[in-house]
Amino acid sequence: MLTPAEADGLIGQHLQCLPIESLPLAQCAGAVLRENIYAERDQPPFDRVAMDGIALCSRVFGSGSRSFRVQATQAAGDAPLTLGAPTDCIEVMTGAVLPSGCDAVVAVEELSVAGGQASLAAHVRVEPWQNVHRRGSDTRQGTLLLSAGQRLRAPEIAIAASAGMARIRVASQPMLVVISTGNELVEPGEPVLAHQVRRSNAYAIVSALREHGFQRVADDHIHDDLQQLRERLRFHLETHDVLVLSGGVSMGRFDLVPRVLEELGVRAIFHKVAQRPGKPLWFGMAPSGAAVFGLPGNPVSTLVCLTRYVLPALRGSLGQSPEGPQRMALGAALTVGPPLTHFIPVRLQQDDWGREWAMPAPTNGSGDFTALAGTAGFVELPPGPNTYAKGFVTRLYRWS
């Protein structure tokens, strides 16, 4: 069987990079940038007033003046005024252009105004460029602000707007479909018999995909029927970029998915990975270029494989810069048995020094999804048998 690292490599070799589209900036939240963005102007583009108050010439203060005639008022967005006389000052608002002839701002809290004169409090000192955000002190025109591969969150959207980008080139959202298989599955809200189970995996997968910024997500439930599987899977392979299936990929008599996918021309890249949970993981590519992930049906296995393989692969197909898993130390010793890579759910706990530890929270088997409540994700431990002591540093994969 493949190791998890080998499975990663094969998925990365076969998953196609999605096309690029140009979108209005307001529609780009959560998208992955596919072009570099450079500074349109110096930032700030002018000497910017950083406090409400008065702008004046610091040299005049140095000669002993502590009272200045208020010449005019300048608000943010106004063209810059010019200081008329050295003993004058100009009332200014935060964000305004520093008036010509001025090189300092005294905050409104440090002065009093009466009869058109602004007087500085006795303790106030005035230094050149105080309370002034100098032009170009953040970035210079032409500076690289954002690189292709970055995910556009609120800060990146603001940066793109500041660069004058009304539209930007981003990775197209993939057309995804989440497919659960099995006769035993019953929708939430519908009557359920003693021998049936609720259809929960699909809801978890769809939720995780949307939480990670994927919006074009369809959902389907197919019974364990060869003809129905052929018809529905053929349709989804023709209309979607990625299929994420839950169940039907093990070795049982009714695990029909691999057989039907092969009939439809989907080439199996691998089936089974040396890991627990999630050993039956299946991955293949269709002639259309659609990628197919066959996740094991047990709910813990489903979420682990989704988080460990599918989500990173989808981010890669968007051109997103890779994010390595977080490193974290175990908060308690943990013993593993079989010679498989082990994925162990954990809760995060802080000690008295504010350090976070990954506290093992093993489930009662891969079907015990209720034990995942409150967990942050899972750690990846090397193959056993072995005991990993408290403080062993390993990789943490977060659910979100």
Side-chain angles (χ1 to χ4, degrees):
M1 284 185 289
L2 298 176
T3 65
E6 290 169 337
D8 277 336
L10 286 172
I11 293 171
Q13 290 172 26
H14 289 87
L15 210 63
Q16 297 180 356
C17 199
L18 291 160
I20 296 172
E21 60 182 343
S22 174
L23 292 179
L25 183 60
Q27 297 178 20
C28 292
V32 174
L33 185 63
R34 293 291 287 274
E35 64 175 317
N36 292 338
I37 293 180
Y38 299 89
E40 177 186 40
R41 303 186 291 168
D42 289 346
Q43 190 61 243
F46 47 79
D47 287 334
R48 176 181 174 274
V49 173
M51 300 280 284
D52 292 340
I54 59 169
L56 46 74
C57 176
S58 63
R59 187 177 64 257
V60 176
F61 172 85
S63 66
S65 297
R66 302 193 68 84
S67 181
F68 302 84
R69 184 182 73 89
V70 180
Q71 170 189 328
T73 299
Q74 180 161 314
D78 289 352
L81 300 173
T82 299
L83 194 65
T87 55
D88 287 350
C89 68
I90 295 175
E91 184 182 17
V92 288
M93 309 301 167
T94 301
V97 179
L98 184 70
S100 179
C102 300
D103 68 350
V105 173
V106 178
V108 67
E109 299 93 329
E110 297 181 324
L111 54 87
S112 59
V113 179
Q117 290 287 125
S119 300
L120 278 57
H123 69 279
V124 173
R125 306 295 301 169
V126 179
E127 302 292 340
W129 308 116
Q130 74 178 34
N131 298 323
V132 178
H133 194 179
R134 296 302 306 277
R135 174 176 177 168
S137 59
D138 293 345
T139 55
R140 288 292 186 181
Q141 182 181 27
T143 299
L144 177 64
L145 300 178
L146 298 173
S147 300
Q150 290 185 258
R151 190 164 182 263
L152 297 170
R153 307 164 303 156
E156 289 78 20
I157 293 291
I159 292 168
S162 76
M165 303 293 291
R167 300 181 69 91
I168 50 180
R169 291 158 60 82
V170 297
S172 296
Q173 277 274 325
M175 297 292 291
L176 307 173
V177 60
V178 175
I179 304 167
S180 54
T181 62
N183 297 337
E184 74 279 14
L185 302 178
V186 177
E187 289 289 341
E190 294 184 3
V192 62
L193 301 176
H195 58 276
Q196 297 173 319
V197 294
R198 292 293 184 191
R199 183 172 175 260
S200 59
N201 283 357
Y203 287 90
I205 297 171
V206 170
S207 174
L209 290 170
R210 289 184 174 153
E211 191 172 355
H212 284 81
F214 300 99
Q215 301 301 323
R216 299 173 183 172
V217 184
D219 181 20
D220 196 7
H221 175 207
I222 308 176
H223 289 88
D224 292 324
D225 175 82
L226 274 174
Q227 187 59 31
Q228 188 179 130
L229 278 167
R230 289 190 190 101
E231 292 175 359
R232 302 280 274 278
L233 289 179
R234 180 182 292 111
F235 169 79
H236 291 309
L237 289 168
E238 293 171 352
T239 56
H240 292 86
D241 299 305
V242 180
L243 282 65
V244 183
L245 295 103
S246 171
V249 294
S250 294
M251 303 299 291
R253 179 179 174 187
F254 291 103
D255 290 317
L256 306 171
V257 169
R259 169 183 164 185
V260 173
L261 290 172
E262 183 180 0
E263 290 177 9
L264 296 174
V266 179
R267 181 166 63 96
I269 306 301
F270 65 77
H271 186 192
K272 295 185 180 179
V273 179
Q275 60 189 19
R276 175 177 287 183
K279 186 168 71 172
L281 178 66
W282 192 98
F283 174 70
M285 295 296 299
S288 64
V292 182
F293 292 90
L295 309 184
N298 278 327
V300 178
S301 301
T302 298
L303 281 176
V304 164
C305 289
L306 179 77
T307 303
R308 176 63 178 78
Y309 299 102
V310 181
L311 291 171
L314 290 176
R315 289 193 289 267
S317 73
L318 294 173
Q320 186 171 351
S321 302
E323 299 177 7
Q326 184 179 356
R327 307 286 292 184
M328 190 165 289
L330 290 178
L334 191 62
T335 299
V336 296
L340 304 167
T341 296
H342 291 262
F343 302 125
I344 308 296
V346 294
R347 292 183 173 85
L348 301 187
Q349 182 174 304
Q350 281 193 350
D351 62 19
D352 293 340
W353 291 272
R355 298 174 300 185
E356 275 195 318
W357 298 82
M359 304 300 298
T363 63
N364 187 28
S366 59
D368 181 21
F369 62 97
T370 60
L372 298 180
T375 59
F378 56 90
V379 293
E380 180 173 327
L381 296 177
N386 204 349
T387 295
Y388 297 98
K390 177 182 178 180
F392 178 79
V393 177
T394 186
R395 289 178 287 184
L396 169 69
Y397 293 87
R398 293 178 180 265
W399 303 126
S400 61

